[in-house]
Amino acid sequence: MFGDTNLGLGPSVVLHLSRSVPEGSCLYHDRHFTTIPLKEELQKRNLHSTGTIMANRIHTDKTSLKFKKDSQMYRGESQQMVRDPKVLVKWKDNKSVLIASNCTGSNCTEMVKRWDNRTRTYVDVNAPKIIQNYNRYMGGVDVLDQQVEYYRTFIKTRKGH
């Protein structure tokens, strides 16, 4: 269906859809599609890519990947690991987020407004550029996923009746 699936089904979908994208473009995708081998393949095709990634999809030796635990990070803190051409960024908001990219890092940060449940007000939180770009360009897809989850219908069928 999607041709080369040696990277897995999710990455093969991204590779298939990226055939019609001009070189130099930046693709954004969520954790279901993001893997490190996908980033490397897109880099070979001269495409930039950014996406959230699950920690179990980072295949590297454990000694070199030393992110702080979530409990040791404060809100707005970020950490960055660089392995050309890939950048891994862990950022803590209410929960921590792990993002992989081959085009944007966490060097530039800006203040963003986030809701604080304890004080019931908006607070300023440092957010790296990679997070801001991801939220800007993935916002519609993530909202759709959230709405589908809220209004999920569970239909039971009785086969043969």
Side-chain angles (χ1 to χ4, degrees), residues 6 16 27 33 37 41 66 84 86 91 99 108 140 157:
N6 63 348
H16 177 74
L27 307 175
F33 301 96
E41 183 61 32
K66 295 272 188 187
D84 283 334
K86 302 164 298 296
W91 178 66
I99 292 189
C108 298
T157 60

Side-chain angles (χ1 to χ4, degrees), residues 18-146:
S18 70
R19 289 182 191 163
S20 62
V21 177
E23 284 188 7
S25 297
C26 191
L27 307 175
Y28 290 87
H29 39 85
D30 68 6
R31 64 189 175 96
H32 301 290
F33 301 96
T34 310
T35 62
I36 297 300
L38 172 64
K39 300 281 178 218
E40 293 167 348
E41 183 61 32
L42 289 170
Q43 184 73 28
K44 289 178 193 173
R45 296 179 183 196
N46 198 21
L47 290 170
H48 303 292
S49 170
T50 300
T52 55
I53 188 169
M54 293 183 270
N56 64 351
R57 291 205 178 163
I58 302 171
H59 300 292
T60 184
D61 54 338
K62 299 280 187 198
T63 58
S64 64
L65 188 63
K66 295 272 188 187
F67 285 118
K68 287 183 184 177
K69 294 181 181 178
D70 291 353
S71 60
Q72 296 172 333
M73 293 179 72
Y74 60 88
R75 191 172 189 183
E77 181 179 5
S78 64
Q79 293 181 282
Q80 174 175 281
M81 303 280 178
V82 179
R83 293 257 173 94
D84 283 334
K86 302 164 298 296
V87 175
L88 290 170
V89 175
K90 183 175 184 179
W91 178 66
K92 174 115 185 234
D93 190 16
N94 288 327
K95 295 180 181 178
S96 64
V97 177
L98 195 58
I99 292 189
S101 180
N102 63 3
C103 59
T104 311
S106 69
N107 293 339
C108 298
T109 62
E110 288 184 15
M111 292 296 216
V112 294
K113 296 276 188 195
R114 293 289 192 256
W115 181 255
D116 186 8
N117 280 331
R118 283 186 297 129
T119 62
R120 300 244 184 251
T121 59
Y122 283 97
V123 295
D124 289 329
V125 176
N126 269 333
K129 188 69 169 174
I130 190 171
I131 298 291
Q132 295 170 28
N133 286 348
Y134 181 80
N135 287 338
R136 181 179 303 125
Y137 298 115
M138 277 295 291
V141 175
D142 286 342
V143 169
L144 175 66
D145 290 344
Q146 186 178 23

